[in-house]
Amino acid sequence: MKYHQINSALFVKNRRKFMAEMKPNSVAVFNSNDIYPVSADSTLPFAQHRDIFYLSGVDQEESVLLLFPDAPYEHQREILFLRETNDHIAVWEGEKLTKERAFQVSGIRTVYWLQDFHKVLNEMMTYADTMYINTNEHYRASVETETREARFVKWWKERYPAHNVAKSNPILQRLRSVKESEEIDLIQHACDITEKGFRRLLGFVKPNVTEYEIEAELAHEFIRNRSKGFAYTPIIASGNNANVLHYIENNQQCKDGDLILLDVAAEYANYSSDMTRTIPVSGRFSERQKAVYKAVLNVKNEATKMLTPGTLWKQYHIEVGKIMTSELLGLGLLDKADVQNENPEWPAYKKYFMHGTSHHMGLDTHDYGLLHEPMKANMVFTVEPGIYIPAEKFGIRLEDNVVVQEKGEPFNLMRNIPVEVDEIETLMNE
């Protein structure tokens, strides 16, 4: 991996928290992701399943983690299974984890080769009453491909039908949504890499540059700072492209007078950052662009203040909607009649701001978190309001990543990334 090794104490701590929530006499199993084929002998780059990474730090395909806190023998309580490595694999594919290296990464002493998994699992099943299966229950999940985890669940249910079944996901939703200090440091590092990429762009962007050239500049800066690259597919949307919320073609020329909406960010050690900035191609905002920009920035700043322990997700978005409505009235995009006659299910402001303001983030860009439960300290959220005006051929979104504090306003992990109009114009014209 490009990133510096993470101290295994984080993963030891994460496993302890998970096992403390397990039912008596139960086993939990977590699988790595597959390497997905393209065609012929081509594959997509490997991306580790975030749950096994969260619990072990293992960032390698064909790995399995087994947790059994009530196992009769201590060496059976945490077990890693890895694909056996050898000199041939090392020559053709590169270094894989040895048993000793796996212990250094994970803090797990019992490591078997994957060929022993079924034999060891069978013994564990004779002791256990319940199996925790790991299903994807994220509120935005839409999965058509059968994953390695799903194949395992199907096989296990056929092989051990007499055991009780429990779900690991509700435990992980709560644990992963509240970050340890080490995790916040890793997200901060991803944000710092993103800052370097953005500052690079401010001196690079000029009329007639292409969206894909901007993407290339960011990729260069991210990777040279030990990131694998983008935390998600980058959105580099100039002009009217900004009014397509998930515009990813990035193939147009940026014209003088237009704005560029940049929803781009780096990952680091599998942890995401998630930034949006909107900058003028020419280095100067028009008066109208500046007015809309400042309205979005005000909504972002006011929304951020609301992210405090005890806040309920649904009520938060209602309050943000009120602030956005006021700004849109001030910009002349809405009038009082629009607001008085609005549909409560789709308020008037949604014409110009149709997406949510915040989401959990961490190991996944849209990270785990149960939206019906109150916010807690050390949750990490995005704050990303926007105003989209197709009739005027521009859209503006601004986004930071913040950590909820025990008291007071959240801590902004992107506090050093330029966002004020004057600062952006100054840096673009140096």
Side-chain angles (χ1 to χ4, degrees), residues 216-234:
E217 290 295 308
L218 288 165
H220 182 130
E221 194 66 29
F222 292 172
I223 292 170
R224 74 192 290 261
N225 283 283
R226 290 184 174 268
S227 168
K228 282 187 293 189
F230 293 98
Y232 49 89
T233 305

Side-chain angles (χ1 to χ4, degrees), residues 29-36 46-53 56-65 80-83 97 114 134 147-152:
V29 172
F30 301 90
N31 286 272
S32 287
N33 276 335
D34 284 318
I35 296 179
Y36 290 97
F46 175 68
Q48 181 59 295
H49 195 300
R50 298 310 194 238
D51 290 336
I52 191 173
F53 184 82
S56 73
V58 170
D59 203 351
Q60 182 173 296
E61 72 281 4
E62 295 185 80
S63 304
V64 182
L65 171 65
L80 265 180
F81 298 88
L82 305 173
R83 176 187 176 189
L97 289 174
L114 192 58
N134 194 27
T147 63
R148 189 181 191 89
E149 200 81 89
R151 291 198 307 275
F152 169 76

Side-chain angles (χ1 to χ4, degrees), residues 194-206 211 213-219 221-222 236 260 262 264 275 279 427-428:
T194 299
E195 178 191 353
K196 291 178 180 180
F198 182 63
R199 288 184 180 275
R200 178 181 179 127
L201 287 187
L202 293 177
F204 174 78
V205 168
K206 58 185 180 299
E211 294 164 347
E213 288 178 294
I214 294 172
E215 182 176 347
E217 290 295 308
L218 288 165
E221 194 66 29
F222 292 172
I236 302 170
I260 311 171
L262 302 155
V264 293
M275 180 200 75
I279 63 175
L427 289 168
M428 293 190 75

Side-chain angles (χ1 to χ4, degrees), residues 212-415:
Y212 55 81
E213 288 178 294
I214 294 172
E215 182 176 347
E217 290 295 308
L218 288 165
H220 182 130
E221 194 66 29
F222 292 172
I223 292 170
R224 74 192 290 261
N225 283 283
R226 290 184 174 268
S227 168
K228 282 187 293 189
F230 293 98
Y232 49 89
T233 305
I235 297 169
I236 302 170
S238 62
N240 213 22
N241 296 333
N243 294 306
V244 180
L245 295 183
H246 291 110
Y247 170 83
I248 57 172
E249 283 79 5
N250 302 345
N251 61 6
Q252 299 298 303
Q253 192 174 61
C254 303
K255 299 176 182 176
D256 192 9
D258 279 350
L259 299 180
I260 311 171
L261 189 156
L262 302 155
D263 193 335
V264 293
E267 70 79 51
Y268 179 76
N270 291 315
Y271 282 84
S272 294
S273 60
D274 190 357
M275 180 200 75
T276 308
R277 292 292 186 268
T278 306
I279 63 175
V281 175
S282 66
R284 300 285 181 193
F285 292 93
S286 71
E287 289 305 309
R288 176 59 170 173
Q289 291 168 349
K290 194 180 296 185
V292 176
Y293 188 103
K294 289 183 175 180
V296 175
L297 182 58
N298 186 55
V299 176
K300 183 184 77 68
N301 291 340
E302 293 303 311
T304 300
K305 297 174 186 177
M306 300 182 203
L307 295 172
T308 57
T311 297
L312 292 171
W313 187 260
K314 186 175 181 181
Q315 189 61 38
Y316 164 71
H317 280 92
I318 291 171
E319 296 304 315
V320 173
K322 293 176 183 177
I323 300 169
M324 179 59 80
T325 298
S326 176
E327 294 291 346
L328 293 172
L329 286 167
L331 291 167
L333 292 169
L334 294 179
D335 59 35
K336 290 183 179 179
D338 293 325
V339 179
Q340 290 168 352
N341 299 323
E342 70 183 10
N343 176 358
E345 299 300 315
W346 191 258
Y349 77 84
K350 287 286 189 181
K351 179 178 179 181
Y352 299 99
F353 174 39
M354 60 292 296
H355 58 79
T357 309
S358 297
H359 58 77
H360 290 268
M361 59 162 295
L363 277 168
D364 288 298
T365 303
H366 297 105
D367 206 20
Y368 283 2
L370 297 169
L371 301 186
H372 62 281
E373 296 189 354
M375 297 178 187
K376 296 179 179 178
N378 292 327
M379 287 183 169
V380 180
F381 288 102
T382 64
V383 189
E384 50 180 308
I387 294 176
Y388 309 92
I389 318 174
E392 299 182 37
K393 294 184 168 50
F394 73 87
I396 294 172
R397 182 165 68 250
L398 301 172
E399 177 183 19
D400 283 339
N401 307 155
V402 303
V403 186
V404 177
Q405 303 294 292
E406 288 284 357
K407 294 181 180 179
E409 294 183 19
F411 180 76
N412 189 351
L413 297 171
M414 293 185 163
R415 63 202 175 279

Side-chain angles (χ1 to χ4, degrees), residues 105-120:
V105 167
S106 67
I108 296 173
R109 293 192 176 278
T110 305
V111 182
Y112 294 115
W113 297 130
L114 192 58
Q115 64 199 31
D116 295 323
F117 174 67
H118 288 156
K119 179 181 69 175
V120 175

